[in-house]
Structure formats: C-alpha cells, structure tokens
Amino acid sequence: MGSSPQGAFHHLFSRQNIRRLIKLLILFGFLMSITLAIGKLYQKWDDDPDRGALAIQNGTFGEDYSTPLYLDQGWSANDSLWYYNTTQGSALIPYDFFIALEQAEFNEPFRANSLIDKYRYLPQKPTFFNPDGLPVGFVKEGYKGKDYIGFTCAACHTGQVNYKGTALRIDGGPALADMVGFLTELEKSMTRALTDAEKNERFVRNVLALGNNYSRAEEVQRDLKRWTRKVNLYNTINHSRVDYGYARLDAFGRIYNRVLEHVISRRQVRDVLLGATKADGDTNLMTAAQVDKVLDNISETIIGDLQFAKIIERLMSTDEGYPGLGMVDMERVKTLIFNEPNAPVSYPFLWDIAQSDYVQWNGLASNAAMGPLGRNTGEVIGVFGILDWTARERGWSLSSFLTGQSGKSYQIDFSSSIDLVNLSRLESHLKSLTSPVWPTIDTGTKNLEQQKANAIFGALPEWRIDYAKVRRGRKLYAEYCESCHEVVDRTDWDRILVANMSNIDVVGTDRAMAENSVNYTGYSGNFKNTYQSESVGSLVIKDRAPVVQILTAATMGEVATEPDPDKWWPRRAMDWLYLMAKSFFDNEIKASVKSGNYLADTTAAPYQSLLSYKARALNGIWATAPYLHNGSVPSIYDLLLPVKRPGDPEEGEYRPNEFIVGSREFDPIKIGLRSEGYPGFEFKATKRGDFNSGHEYGTIHAPPVEGQPQEPLTDSERWDLVEYIKTL
C-alpha cells in the first residue's frame, strides 16, 4: 500500500530520524573541528625567520636591498608564509612550463629573480610551503590531476618600500607590480619557445626532465601551443589604450571580460558576427556562409578560452571559406563583445578589509553574509581560475535555482578550479592583520621585528616624528579629513570600518572606474530572462545586460556549486555546508545601508549608487603610495595640493601632472615613492583613467563641506597634516 504525503512527512521527522540527524550533525561538527585543528597545526609548519624574503643585488632601477625587515602587523612568520603560499584556484599556465620556460631574448629562466624584480614582484627563497622558491603570491595549484602556476592574494596585496638599501616588507600592502608587462613578457617567451627551434628543443627536454605531468614530447608540444594561444587571447581581449604601468590594474574590466567570454552563447556570437560592419557602417565584414564556417563545431552554449581562440584564429584565416579579417576589423569585432579595460586602479591594501562594511573602490561589494566569498570568487575568475563551465540538460541544482536557470532547457554547471574553502580561510586569516606602524624610536613596542626596524629608521633624522607638528596636524585632520576618514584603533578586534561614499560629481576624482562598473554591458548567454534581486526590486537580465548583473549571476552560481571537484563527493558536500554556515554565522559584518554623500539607487537607475568612491580610515596609508584610487598622485604632500586650472597663478604649487613610477625607494618627507630621475614608467595625468583631479580639500579649489566653505591650508599646515598622517 502506498503512503500519503502526510505520512511521509511524519516519517521523515519521526523521533528516530531526528536522533539520527542530530548524531550526524554532531559527527559533522566533530570532523570539521578535527580538520580545522589539523589545518591550523599545518599552517604553523613554515616558520622561516626571514619569511622567505631575500636580498637583491643589481636590482631594477639600481635598487639593491638587504633581506627585508617586517613591521608589527599582528602576523607571525608562519602567518605571512601561509598567506603567501595558499592557493585560491588560480591557474595561469602549467607548472612545468613555468619552471622550464626561458626568457624570450635570453637563455635565462623566465622565473629568474631579475625578471621577477623587473616587473616588481617580490622574489623569495625556498621554504617549507614554497620548495621551488616561487615569488610572493605565486603558487602551485593542483586541479584534476594536473599542476599549474597561479596567483594568490599576496601577489597583488603584498608591498615593500626601500630606503637607502634597507627594505620594509608590508603584508597586505598594495603591490607595485606591472601585471600587464609581466603577461606580455610571458606571451613573448612562450611564443619563442614554440617557434624558435633551439628554445623549443630545450623547453621540451626540460619539461620532460621534471618527470611531473608530461611523459611524451608530443604532449608538451600540444599543450605549449594550446596555452600560448590562451595567454595571447587574454592579452588581446584586454588590450587597452590606457597604459597601466606599475602599481595599477583594471581588475574589474578584466574580470568582466573573462565572465563574458565564458557566458556568451554560440547564437549570440553568430548575431554579433553577422551584424559586424566595416568603417562605413553599412558593409558587412563577412557573409553568413563565412560566419557559419567560423562557428563550425563550436559549442551551442558555453564557449570559453580554447573555443574563443579557435574562433579568432578562423576569423583571421585566409584559407578558403574564412573571412581573413585584418587587425582593424578584428578590433571592431572585439568591441562588439568585450569592453576595453581602461580604468586602472591601485591595488587596494587589505588590512581592515574583513572589518569593513563595503569594499572595492566604488563600494560595489557588501561584506555581509556571503559577500566576501562572492567577492573573492570574482577575483579568482579574473586571475585565471580554470572555468570548466559546461551546459547540461535541464534538472534541479542549487546553482541553477539561485541563478534563475531552473526553467531553462539547459543549465550551466559551474565546475571550476576555484578553491572556495581556501578563499574563506584566507578571508578569516586577514582578520588578524593590522596596519603597519611608522618605524620610529619612540613607539615603545615589545615586538622584536618592529624594534629592529625602529632601531634602524628611528636613528635617521628624516624618519623621526615631530610631535609638535603632530599635535597641530591632529586638529587640522579633525577639521579637514575626519568627516570622511575616521580614526580607528588598528588593534581593536571589534572594530567596524564604515565606508563613506562620495558621489563622483562631489569628490571630483577620475570617473572611469565607477562609470565602467555601471555602464559596461555584454551578452548574458543562459542568464537571459532570468531574475536578479537588487535593492530596488527584481530585475530581468536582458540579452545584452550590464556586466555587473552577469558577474553577480556567475559568482552566485560558483558559490552555490560544491567546491573542489578533485575531492570525494561527501567531502565536497561537507566543505560546502561548512562554507555556508561560516558565511552566515561567523561573519560579524551585517547588512547595512551605505553611508555618505551619494546618489541612491532607483528603479530607473538601479546601480546609481556605484557612481561613487569610498573614503576609508587612513591607518597605514603611509605605506601605500601612489595615491587616489587610480594612483595618479605620487605622495601625500602632493595630494594636499590643488590641480592647476586655467587662471590659477603661475607661482603657485600644484600637483604634478607627470611623474615616474616603478621605484620602491621611499620618500619619508612627502610620504611617497621616488618619482623622478630614473627610467621607470612615465605617468601622465592627461586622459580618462589617468586624471589626477578631485579630492582637493584644503586647497584653493576645495568644494564646500556640509555647505560650508573651507579655508585653504597654508604650506606649514600641510606639513603639519603630513606629519600627523605618518602616525596613523
């Protein structure tokens, strides 16, 4: 006899089954506690006293330095090393390739410290967690039985300043890295390994000698061609007419493009290609027959890196039946699918990030509930997580339910290399990171590393704090700065940092990043006609939609998918349950309304609040040059100067419109980095994305604050304010 639904319900929640469920939950909690305890113990195994740092001789721009010192930031040696060497699922190229690859113009290894230092990453010596001596933030990632070289958080968020041969390493500080230059150099080196007979022979031999993932020369050659094509594709899609140089990256623009590449459907690509025209706007670039030949055997649903590379190769092919497009026409096609990442910003510093209510330069990401996991997932999408997104037949899954795909004829399966568990652990790890304290003889610290730094720098007159100036500067800070940049206790465990948002029309700084985040659009693929909940209500994702909607849907799908397909499925399920519980119950940041002077979202403009920039506490700001969100001002002192406008007196002092970036040599007077007299990257504040305008508080161009005009700072007052900022 069949059972009724009511009977099944009562059976499910019988006392016996409830007892079983309680026992399972207790067992689950016990197993997770043991796993976490083992993880914490393992985390402390690498305790190299130098934290892997090493001295550099014959450094870039003539900057030699001794083994870097560390300041008191709340982390021990093993805390730093675990942060440097914990994978998040990034996979740039096969690991064996990175180890065996030579530089394009030399026979030296690509991974040589000289090249790493050239692009301003930080060389390291071998340690327990890093036996191959990879640079800070480079790590071996294992995925589906293969090893890859990838980036960790530390690659972009570990800084260093030098002074007369002595270096200070800044955990969580902004990197000075030139990622675009590094990836361009990587593409050149891989292309030479593919096309130069001698280099190719050595490369294949050296990869096979590693005895790791490759056993036959044919496999190496096949993958070398495949991965060279992928790196070329990435660089081509993300080419920008705005040069980033050192210390900046348009991370959001690149994340947006990577999502679009993996979401767009074959139908949408076909529509784009059929509609593409020449410069006259009337003549089609290709015929329907040519388009269909280009798309022959291309997936109906998800396309991704390799198939996109194949499409590009076919579009440019001069073989019979293909369009044979040149570079000018290819650029037209590219702009129909992707957006130019032309809004580079400084790498943000990470101390206090776990205690912040909203993060990203324009406050795009809430830090409440699942916010940190979604934010970090989006970051790994941008730094080469392997996105094995495929289409499967209609069925039920949490990811399809949350992304609105339940009623679709097919649904995206968000399998990937992204390590959600490690992302959660890294976010928790950052809770104990504190901002760096200016090294001065007067701090009275008990931290031995800070004492060492204090003894060296505190003895130098130019590093000593003038406390008479500090007292005057504190009053000026309260008058001119504190309404936006609150003063916090850097060690207060219960601190919450409230982002103070300023409308871009009010703050006046370069608009590119904020406007791109809202205005960039792309093809939504299988997310078309799904619903997305925003603060103003539910929005329908259109065929061509704001990329912020598409990114939100993609990261939601990733987070709702059981992590790490390499693990046994019960372990994946346990990890996922742990992540969900941790996000909701261990995250002390609760959902809240944004603070500040910004335009609120409306039903007509649901992302209007993102046309703002965030002001945050300035503790540790001395170690984060260059300044403003786009790195357009070389020092704190220069930031207190106005931008010269037509009609301003010639004899006045103004922000520099040109300066050199790339040196780590610190200026302890103005608080910045060396900005002239060496052959680094020449920054010019002359185009959108590079403008150094705005944030002119305390200058002759100061906007009213709360309706009241501000008196310009005198030169002596500027120096008092700089002196106080050193102490934050």
Side-chain angles (χ1 to χ4, degrees):
M1 182 181 294
S3 60
S4 68
Q6 293 87 352
F9 179 86
H10 288 301
H11 175 71
L12 178 65
F13 289 96
S14 66
R15 289 186 178 182
Q16 184 178 8
N17 282 342
I18 289 175
R19 289 194 197 99
R20 288 172 179 168
L21 178 62
I22 292 172
K23 288 179 181 179
L24 283 172
L25 289 173
I26 292 172
L27 178 61
F28 171 73
F30 176 71
L31 291 174
M32 290 305 300
S33 298
I34 291 176
T35 301
L36 291 172
I38 293 172
K40 284 290 185 183
L41 181 64
Y42 174 74
Q43 190 172 318
K44 296 184 180 299
W45 285 359
D46 199 345
D47 58 356
D48 178 77
D50 296 323
R51 308 191 192 201
L54 46 74
I56 288 293
Q57 306 248 330
N58 303 315
T60 301
F61 308 132
E63 292 179 2
D64 299 355
Y65 56 86
S66 57
T67 303
L69 304 175
Y70 278 79
L71 301 173
D72 179 11
Q73 293 188 252
W75 278 3
S76 63
N78 45 58
D79 287 329
S80 295
L81 288 164
W82 185 82
Y83 167 70
Y84 297 163
N85 300 301
T86 294
T87 181
Q88 55 182 352
S90 168
L92 175 60
I93 61 172
Y95 190 79
D96 295 351
F97 286 14
F98 185 73
I99 298 298
L101 188 65
E102 294 177 353
Q103 297 176 34
E105 303 301 328
F106 308 99
N107 294 339
E108 295 295 311
F110 183 82
R111 62 189 291 257
N113 286 344
S114 57
L115 186 137
I116 297 302
D117 184 55
K118 175 183 177 181
Y119 292 106
R120 306 274 80 175
Y121 291 103
L122 297 167
Q124 291 281 90
K125 65 184 178 182
T127 64
F128 178 80
F129 285 153
N130 183 19
D132 289 325
L134 302 175
V136 168
F138 288 64
V139 70
K140 179 190 283 189
E141 157 68 17
Y143 179 66
K144 292 188 175 180
K146 299 285 187 180
D147 293 326
Y148 302 90
I149 188 75
F151 292 107
T152 75
C153 304
C156 298
H157 304 289
T158 305
Q160 181 172 303
V161 298
N162 302 340
Y163 192 71
K164 296 182 178 180
T166 301
L168 289 173
R169 187 68 57 85
I170 312 294
D171 278 340
L176 200 61
D178 175 8
M179 181 179 279
V180 174
F182 177 82
L183 293 175
T184 302
E185 189 81 25
L186 177 64
E187 181 187 343
K188 290 178 182 177
S189 297
M190 293 181 72
T191 301
R192 285 294 302 275
L194 187 65
T195 59
D196 183 291
E198 291 185 11
K199 281 185 174 289
N200 181 263
E201 188 275 330
R202 282 196 301 272
F203 177 81
V204 173
R205 184 177 67 241
N206 291 337
V207 167
L208 294 176
L210 294 171
N212 187 23
N213 287 156
Y214 295 94
S215 58
R216 295 188 301 118
E218 294 81 4
E219 296 173 340
V220 179
Q221 298 283 22
R222 180 201 64 209
D223 273 11
L224 176 59
K225 182 177 181 180
R226 174 174 174 250
W227 285 92
T228 301
R229 183 183 293 168
K230 288 183 70 169
V231 174
N232 171 265
L233 174 68
Y234 178 87
N235 288 342
T236 300
I237 287 174
N238 291 295
H239 175 72
S240 173
R241 289 164 291 183
V242 175
D243 293 328
Y244 302 177
Y246 294 101
R248 306 194 306 165
L249 186 74
D250 186 349
F252 258 112
R254 288 162 177 260
I255 292 170
Y256 276 10
N257 281 343
R258 197 138 195 270
V259 168
L260 292 178
E261 178 192 345
H262 285 78
V263 163
I264 192 170
S265 69
R266 184 183 186 277
R267 177 195 61 78
Q268 289 170 330
V269 174
R270 188 174 189 275
D271 290 345
V272 168
L273 297 182
L274 287 174
T277 61
K278 296 184 178 180
D280 59 17
D282 294 321
T283 309
N284 288 338
L285 281 177
M286 60 201 92
T287 66
Q290 288 174 324
V291 169
D292 289 337
K293 188 170 178 64
V294 166
L295 297 179
D296 184 42
N297 290 324
I298 297 297
S299 169
E300 291 290 337
T301 53
I302 303 301
I303 293 179
D305 293 323
L306 292 177
Q307 293 204 70
F308 239 111
K310 186 179 293 185
I311 291 172
I312 289 174
E313 189 176 283
R314 290 173 175 179
L315 286 171
M316 300 182 73
S317 174
T318 56
D319 291 348
E320 184 177 354
Y322 290 112
L325 302 184
M327 292 307 298
V328 173
D329 289 335
M330 285 298 298
E331 186 66 24
R332 289 196 182 91
V333 172
K334 186 181 81 170
T335 58
L336 293 174
I337 299 175
F338 301 106
N339 301 286
E340 182 181 352
N342 57 8
V345 297
S346 295
Y347 300 101
F349 52 90
L350 295 191
W351 49 85
D352 299 328
I353 191 170
Q355 293 85 7
S356 298
D357 60 347
Y358 286 88
V359 296
Q360 307 297 1
W361 287 112
N362 66 336
L364 185 146
S366 168
N367 239 6
M370 302 291 294
L373 200 55
R375 159 172 51 85
N376 290 321
T377 297
E379 178 257 331
V380 185
I381 289 174
V383 290
F384 314 107
I386 296 176
L387 307 180
D388 282 334
W389 297 353
T390 55
R392 56 177 173 75
E393 293 183 2
R394 180 175 177 177
W396 193 92
S397 71
L398 184 60
S399 62
S400 63
F401 173 74
L402 292 178
T403 56
Q405 298 181 81
S406 298
K408 295 281 187 176
S409 58
Y410 65 87
Q411 295 156 356
I412 300 173
D413 179 10
F414 292 94
S415 180
S416 75
S417 66
I418 298 173
D419 195 323
L420 298 177
V421 173
N422 277 357
L423 289 178
S424 179
R425 294 170 69 201
L426 284 160
E427 187 76 14
S428 295
H429 192 65
L430 288 169
K431 288 182 179 180
S432 59
L433 179 69
T434 57
S435 56
V437 175
W438 181 278
T440 175
I441 208 74
D442 306 311
T443 59
T445 179
K446 295 181 180 179
N447 182 277
L448 296 179
E449 291 175 307
Q450 183 82 38
Q451 286 179 8
K452 188 174 182 180
N454 289 352
I456 294 172
F457 291 95
L460 301 172
E462 60 269 35
W463 281 79
R464 291 177 185 166
I465 298 293
D466 184 330
Y467 285 99
K469 286 186 175 183
V470 169
R471 286 190 291 273
R472 297 193 297 268
R474 177 66 184 96
K475 295 178 182 178
L476 293 166
Y477 190 90
E479 180 180 353
Y480 286 88
C481 311
E482 200 164 358
S483 61
C484 291
H485 301 285
E486 63 175 324
V487 178
V488 300
D489 179 354
R490 59 188 283 275
T491 61
D492 180 4
W493 187 259
D494 295 326
R495 66 191 182 278
I496 294 178
L497 278 78
V498 177
N500 198 305
M501 306 305 302
S502 293
N503 184 314
I504 54 177
D505 291 327
V506 174
V507 72
T509 51
D510 188 279
R511 306 167 68 92
M513 185 268 168
E515 289 181 337
N516 289 2
S517 73
V518 173
N519 297 333
Y520 273 178
T521 63
Y523 290 96
S524 58
N526 210 44
F527 297 130
K528 178 184 177 182
N529 293 338
T530 61
Y531 289 85
Q532 192 166 105
S533 178
E534 297 294 343
S535 60
V536 296
S538 292
L539 305 175
V540 177
I541 300 180
K542 299 178 181 179
D543 189 52
R544 189 168 181 97
V547 190
V548 65
Q549 291 182 349
I550 302 169
L551 174 62
T552 299
T555 55
M556 190 182 301
E558 273 286 350
V559 169
T561 301
E562 289 180 0
D564 204 339
D566 288 344
K567 294 178 180 175
W568 188 38
W569 74 262
R571 172 68 187 279
R572 297 202 309 271
M574 288 174 61
D575 283 349
W576 189 84
L577 287 170
Y578 165 73
L579 287 172
M580 297 304 105
K582 186 174 183 296
S583 294
F584 284 99
F585 299 113
D586 190 44
N587 186 353
E588 296 177 5
I589 302 298
K590 308 304 177 188
S592 62
V593 175
K594 284 182 181 176
S595 175
N597 178 8
Y598 61 92
L599 297 176
D601 295 329
T602 67
T603 53
Y607 302 107
Q608 189 170 230
S609 65
L610 299 180
L611 295 174
S612 310
Y613 289 122
K614 179 184 67 173
R616 59 179 286 179
L618 300 184
N619 48 305
I621 197 70
W622 65 269
T624 65
Y627 297 102
L628 288 184
H629 74 276
N630 63 342
S632 60
V633 180
S635 74
I636 290 290
Y637 179 80
D638 291 317
L639 188 58
L640 299 177
L641 299 174
V643 175
K644 190 176 187 303
R645 302 180 186 179
D648 285 344
E650 292 297 326
E651 65 274 12
E653 194 175 5
Y654 303 99
R655 288 180 193 172
N657 286 324
E658 297 182 10
F659 59 94
I660 305 299
V661 185
S663 173
R664 291 196 179 102
E665 189 68 14
F666 191 67
D667 179 352
I669 307 302
K670 288 187 173 182
I671 313 183
L673 300 173
R674 181 165 60 130
S675 57
E676 58 185 9
Y678 67 98
F681 172 74
E682 188 176 359
F683 181 93
K684 295 182 179 181
T686 55
K687 64 174 70 169
R688 181 180 183 272
D690 291 337
F691 291 138
N692 64 352
S693 54
H695 198 280
E696 295 179 271
Y697 304 105
T699 75
I700 57 174
H701 299 312
V705 177
E706 297 180 355
Q708 299 298 316
Q710 274 191 335
E711 284 295 318
L713 293 165
T714 65
D715 189 57
S716 62
E717 287 175 329
R718 282 197 291 268
W719 288 115
D720 289 344
L721 192 51
V722 167
E723 199 73 7
Y724 172 69
I725 289 172
K726 293 177 183 178
T727 68
L728 292 175

